[in-house]
Amino acid sequence: MNDIFNYGSSHLDIGTCLDIAARKTRGVIDSVAAAKIQNSWREVQKIAHGHHAVYGINTGFGPLCDTRVSEDDTSLLQSNLLKSHSVGVGNPIPAEIAKLMLVTKVHALAQGFSGIALTTLERIIWHIDNEVIPVVPEKGSVGASGDLAPLAHLFLPLIGFGEVFDKGERVPTAKVLATHNLQPLTLGPKEGLALINGTQFILAFAVKAVQRLDDALNRADVIGAMSLEGMMGSMRPFDERLHQLRPYKGTKLVAKRLHALLEDSEICNSHVNCDRVQDPYSLRCMPQVHGASRNAWLHLKELTEVELNSVTDNPIVFNADDTISGGNFHGQPLAMVLDYAAIAAAEIGNIADRRCYLMSEGRYGLPKLLTANAGLNSGLMIPQYTTAALVTENKTLCFPASADSVPTSLGQEDHVSMGSISGRKLHRVIDNLEYIQAIELLYAAQAIDFRRPLKSTPIVEACHALVRQNVPHIDDDRIFADDINAIHRLIISGELLNIINHTAIANQIDFNDDEFGIY
């Protein structure tokens, strides 16, 4: 771990955030950020010892904002806040997501507008560096006033409560602290509020979704190219000149990638003078459909990176005489784009299902159901049922959570984003998409088998070979769930993308664009 990132001082991008969580980069607080943090802490101390009412420092919370709290009780107020707001339910979120929450929270607080103590941030960094990750229930946030419930659970360990994952085991926080000879912290004025106000639950899901959807989009182009080769489709619709006439960024990138993936293919060249006028839309319109999803991904990436470097606390402390109670904690900016991204991911699965259906129809010189012995054998009839089911499930998940709001906090919080739901369901859509892509890859590899001895291009052939190393050609019926799961493992392990990237580099094939990366 040689790379260092300076919390609160440097610009945090999505790739670096993921690298900190993966222990490829270490996050630290430099002297510049430390000075800002300590200055903000001192300003909050002045407020706590003064007579001017400031929300959450010497007042109650939410509808209790008009209730003054004595100077002696300001610390108890903060620990009570963490305990009372820990109301999450359901299964724990993945440890990686919880770790991303810790990383993004440290970066937001280290900018010096929240009154947090430096020792508190150092303890959070200890959790990150030592892989002692709090257990956070998945449900309970409405995505405004901050992700209150999940953030409260995230920081219960600071005061000795809650549970953590340590070395893969779920254990009480008190046991882990004792093992490491650490004492629970005593929170100062505003610290509890600073810890639970913010969008870090939504943001962590967004950061991971940017990575997962990026991977899915990169696979979609390659698997789509394989399907096109299996059906002897035309690469003419990917001509750069066509897409300069309607120059959406995503469309141009996908057309460029598909052209590079198919250029000089023996399969493509074998039918350049055929009498087929036009391919079906799921082949011909891949730049437009995949590209539209890429445009949505680009928007998600842009807004996620803004949020990564934002202060989403409330109130914001500029100095003891200048605090603002605003709404930077409101999750609507991310909630809406996460809902948009769910549609983008679902549509990649939708068009993939159509290509599976096309390959099973018995057209373009392929046998019906992609098996030479259809009748006795059902061949690849039923896997497309699974893609159809997954596509429909994804459609039901595309209802925008951000379009709804249920008032909370006795009406004080009368419009909320529900962005936590937007983030969680986007990952469910991507989960389904990964299985759809595994099934399309099963179909595409089988279709290409019927084009032999003709060869495709290096990347397509490398992907086909990888599939065949794990799943043999289908002659007779077998338990196809085993094949689907084997290919799904290639997808979620990253092995498929690794072979794509390795082959592209080895053959000097350039089909990427820096704007569509995560660093």
Side-chain angles (χ1 to χ4, degrees):
M1 190 191 299
N2 297 320
D3 293 337
I4 296 294
F5 175 80
N6 295 308
Y7 289 120
S9 298
S10 299
H11 180 84
L12 183 59
D13 59 36
I14 291 162
T16 301
C17 188
L18 290 162
D19 281 351
I20 296 171
R23 306 191 72 181
K24 297 177 183 176
T25 295
R26 184 164 182 259
V28 300
I29 294 175
D30 64 11
S31 59
V32 175
K36 292 189 296 182
I37 293 162
Q38 290 170 324
N39 180 67
S40 181
W41 181 83
R42 284 190 292 268
E43 294 299 306
V44 167
Q45 299 306 307
K46 294 177 187 177
I47 295 170
H49 298 310
H51 300 290
H52 181 60
V54 176
Y55 174 73
I57 298 177
N58 50 24
T59 77
F61 305 106
L64 302 176
C65 60
D66 296 325
T67 303
R68 288 296 295 267
V69 175
S70 71
E71 182 178 335
D72 293 338
D73 289 332
T74 54
S75 180
L76 179 60
L77 175 70
Q78 302 305 312
S79 60
N80 281 347
L81 183 67
L82 290 188
K83 289 187 280 188
S84 68
H85 285 54
S86 295
V87 295
V89 298
N91 296 322
I93 62 174
E96 182 185 12
I97 299 292
K99 194 173 185 184
L100 288 170
M101 289 176 69
L102 294 173
V103 170
T104 55
K105 175 58 83 172
V106 172
H107 188 52
L109 296 178
Q111 295 181 51
F113 295 96
S114 300
I116 199 83
L118 182 59
T119 51
T120 302
L121 289 183
E122 288 171 343
R123 177 61 66 85
I124 300 171
I125 293 171
W126 177 87
H127 277 273
I128 296 169
D129 290 346
N130 289 275
E131 297 284 330
V132 178
I133 307 303
V135 174
V136 179
E138 63 182 347
K139 300 176 184 180
S141 173
V142 297
S145 293
D147 287 309
L148 297 176
L151 284 168
H153 284 278
L154 187 74
F155 293 119
L156 276 178
L158 297 182
I159 59 173
F161 294 99
E163 295 179 299
V164 295
F165 290 112
D166 183 30
K167 299 182 179 64
E169 291 187 32
R170 182 173 176 171
V171 294
T173 296
K175 179 180 177 181
V176 175
L177 292 182
T179 301
H180 292 276
N181 296 315
L182 294 172
Q183 295 296 317
L185 301 180
T186 299
L187 299 177
K190 193 183 178 296
E191 287 200 275
L193 185 60
L195 290 168
I196 70 168
N197 247 329
T199 59
Q200 283 74 36
F201 183 83
I202 303 171
L203 178 56
F205 276 98
V207 168
K208 188 62 181 176
V210 170
Q211 180 192 47
R212 293 186 70 199
L213 185 52
D214 182 45
D215 289 348
L217 290 166
N218 288 330
R219 288 190 300 267
D221 296 338
V222 176
I223 299 171
M226 292 179 68
S227 295
L228 183 138
E229 287 282 69
M231 288 182 276
M232 285 191 156
S234 173
M235 62 181 289
R236 287 278 289 167
F238 315 139
D239 190 309
E240 180 184 8
R241 295 171 300 168
L242 178 65
H243 300 285
Q244 291 297 344
L245 300 178
R246 198 187 187 204
Y248 291 106
K249 289 180 180 179
T251 303
K252 289 196 299 180
L253 176 68
V254 174
K256 171 188 172 183
R257 287 170 60 88
L258 288 168
H259 195 277
L261 283 164
L262 296 167
E263 191 171 21
D264 297 325
S265 160
E266 287 182 8
I267 298 175
C268 268
N269 290 337
S270 72
H271 59 90
V272 289
N273 296 315
C274 69
D275 58 1
R276 195 194 308 179
V277 178
Q278 292 186 145
D279 291 330
Y281 287 1
S282 59
L283 298 178
R284 183 173 18 133
C285 300
M286 280 192 281
Q288 291 79 8
V289 178
H290 292 195
S293 292
R294 282 189 176 272
N295 291 333
W297 176 89
L298 199 59
H299 191 40
L300 174 63
K301 174 196 169 188
E302 175 192 353
L303 297 196
T304 299
E305 200 152 300
V306 170
E307 195 79 350
L308 273 175
N309 295 283
S310 297
V311 177
T312 54
D313 192 7
N314 180 60
I316 301 297
V317 179
F318 293 99
N319 58 60
D321 300 315
D322 188 6
T323 65
I324 298 177
S325 286
N328 276 11
F329 51 72
H330 203 294
Q332 196 75 356
L334 282 185
M336 292 181 70
V337 75
L338 286 164
D339 285 333
Y340 177 24
I343 297 171
E347 279 303 288
I348 292 297
N350 200 348
I351 195 171
D353 165 73
R354 293 297 81 211
R355 291 191 291 263
C356 291
Y357 188 89
L358 272 178
M359 283 183 277
S360 68
E361 281 190 311
R363 299 167 66 186
Y364 314 127
L366 294 172
K368 188 174 290 187
L369 303 173
L370 290 174
T371 181
N373 302 307
L376 176 62
N377 293 291
S378 294
L380 288 179
M381 178 195 302
I382 303 301
Q384 190 267 324
Y385 284 42
T386 303
T387 62
L390 293 170
V391 163
T392 297
E393 183 173 319
N394 278 350
K395 290 174 184 177
T396 69
L397 292 169
C398 282
F399 178 84
S402 60
D404 189 28
S405 177
V406 177
T408 56
S409 195
L410 305 184
Q412 176 76 1
E413 296 157 13
D414 57 355
H415 182 281
V416 295
S417 76
M418 301 298 180
S420 61
I421 300 167
S422 304
R424 287 173 38 239
K425 69 185 181 65
L426 170 56
H427 282 269
R428 290 174 62 191
V429 172
I430 297 172
D431 288 342
N432 288 338
L433 172 57
E434 289 168 346
Y435 277 109
I436 294 168
Q437 290 187 322
I439 293 170
E440 185 185 1
L441 193 48
L442 176 68
Y443 277 66
Q446 183 77 359
I448 286 175
D449 287 345
F450 291 104
R451 302 309 180 190
R452 297 307 188 210
L454 297 174
K455 297 286 187 181
S456 184
T457 56
I459 292 176
V460 171
E461 289 295 333
C463 291
H464 181 272
L466 180 64
V467 172
R468 284 291 166 256
Q469 288 166 19
N470 292 270
V471 173
H473 175 81
I474 299 164
D475 289 309
D476 300 306
D477 284 351
R478 57 189 188 231
I479 300 174
F480 292 124
D482 295 340
D483 297 339
I484 295 167
N485 287 326
I487 298 175
H488 183 254
R489 285 191 291 272
L490 297 178
I491 285 174
I492 62 172
S493 69
E495 193 173 349
L496 181 68
L497 282 178
N498 287 341
I499 200 74
I500 291 168
N501 293 329
H502 176 78
T503 308
I505 292 168
N507 289 274
Q508 298 182 321
I509 299 170
D510 177 23
F511 55 32
N512 291 313
D513 185 304
D514 289 343
E515 187 173 6
F516 286 87
I518 61 173
Y519 287 90

Coordinates of all heavy atoms in Angstrom, one line a residue, residues 3 15 33 57 81 152-154 329 368 406 457 461 472 476 490 497:
D3 N 0.3 4.1 -2.1 CA -0.4 5.4 -2.4 C -1.0 6.0 -1.2 O -1.6 5.3 -0.3 CB -1.5 5.1 -3.5 CG -0.9 4.8 -4.8 OD1 0.3 5.1 -5.1 OD2 -1.5 4.1 -5.6
G15 N -12.5 6.1 -8.2 CA -11.5 5.0 -8.2 C -10.7 5.0 -6.9 O -10.4 4.0 -6.3
A33 N -5.4 19.7 6.7 CA -6.7 19.3 7.1 C -6.8 19.3 8.6 O -7.9 19.7 9.2 CB -7.0 17.9 6.5
I57 N -26.3 21.7 18.7 CA -25.2 21.9 19.6 C -25.7 22.1 21.0 O -25.3 21.5 22.0 CB -24.3 23.0 19.1 CG1 -23.7 22.7 17.8 CG2 -23.2 23.3 20.1 CD1 -22.9 23.8 17.2
L81 N -28.1 10.7 20.9 CA -28.5 10.8 19.4 C -28.1 9.5 18.7 O -28.9 9.0 17.9 CB -27.8 12.0 18.8 CG -28.1 12.4 17.4 CD1 -29.6 12.8 17.2 CD2 -27.2 13.4 16.8
A152 N -26.1 6.2 12.2 CA -26.1 6.0 13.6 C -25.5 4.6 14.0 O -24.7 4.5 14.9 CB -27.5 6.1 14.2
H153 N -26.0 3.6 13.3 CA -25.4 2.2 13.5 C -23.9 2.2 13.1 O -23.1 1.5 13.8 CB -26.1 1.2 12.6 CG -27.5 0.8 13.1 ND1 -27.7 -0.1 14.1 CD2 -28.7 1.3 12.8 CE1 -29.0 -0.3 14.4 NE2 -29.6 0.6 13.6
L154 N -23.5 2.9 12.1 CA -22.1 2.9 11.6 C -21.2 3.5 12.7 O -20.1 3.0 12.8 CB -22.0 3.8 10.4 CG -20.7 3.8 9.7 CD1 -20.5 2.5 8.9 CD2 -20.5 5.0 8.7
F329 N -27.9 17.9 3.6 CA -28.0 16.5 3.8 C -29.1 15.9 3.0 O -29.2 14.6 3.0 CB -28.5 16.3 5.3 CG -29.6 17.2 5.7 CD1 -30.9 16.9 5.2 CD2 -29.5 18.3 6.5 CE1 -32.0 17.7 5.5 CE2 -30.6 19.1 6.8 CZ -31.8 18.8 6.3
K368 N -32.5 -24.3 -34.7 CA -33.5 -23.9 -33.8 C -33.1 -24.2 -32.4 O -32.6 -25.4 -32.1 CB -34.9 -24.5 -34.1 CG -36.0 -24.0 -33.3 CD -37.3 -24.6 -33.8 CE -37.7 -24.0 -35.2 NZ -39.1 -24.5 -35.6
V406 N -42.5 10.5 2.1 CA -43.4 10.4 3.3 C -42.9 11.3 4.4 O -41.7 11.1 4.8 CB -43.4 8.9 3.8 CG1 -44.3 8.8 5.0 CG2 -43.9 8.0 2.7
T457 N -12.6 -12.0 -34.1 CA -11.4 -11.2 -33.7 C -10.8 -11.6 -32.4 O -11.4 -12.4 -31.7 CB -11.8 -9.7 -33.6 OG1 -12.9 -9.6 -32.6 CG2 -12.4 -9.2 -34.9
E461 N -12.7 -14.0 -29.7 CA -12.2 -15.4 -29.6 C -11.7 -15.7 -28.2 O -11.8 -16.8 -27.7 CB -11.1 -15.6 -30.7 CG -11.5 -15.7 -32.1 CD -12.5 -16.9 -32.4 OE1 -12.4 -17.9 -31.7 OE2 -13.3 -16.8 -33.3
P472 N -18.7 -26.6 -21.7 CA -18.5 -27.3 -23.0 C -19.7 -27.0 -24.0 O -20.7 -26.5 -23.6 CB -18.5 -28.8 -22.7 CG -19.2 -28.9 -21.4 CD -19.0 -27.6 -20.7
D476 N -26.3 -32.2 -26.2 CA -27.5 -32.8 -25.6 C -27.9 -32.0 -24.3 O -27.1 -31.3 -23.7 CB -27.2 -34.3 -25.2 CG -26.9 -35.1 -26.4 OD1 -27.6 -35.1 -27.4 OD2 -25.8 -35.8 -26.4
L490 N -17.5 -16.3 -13.8 CA -16.5 -15.6 -14.7 C -16.8 -14.1 -14.7 O -15.9 -13.2 -14.8 CB -16.6 -16.1 -16.1 CG -16.2 -17.5 -16.3 CD1 -16.3 -17.9 -17.8 CD2 -14.8 -17.8 -15.8
L497 N -13.7 -9.7 -17.7 CA -13.1 -8.4 -18.1 C -11.6 -8.4 -18.1 O -11.0 -7.7 -18.9 CB -13.6 -7.3 -17.1 CG -15.1 -6.8 -17.3 CD1 -15.4 -5.8 -16.2 CD2 -15.2 -6.2 -18.6

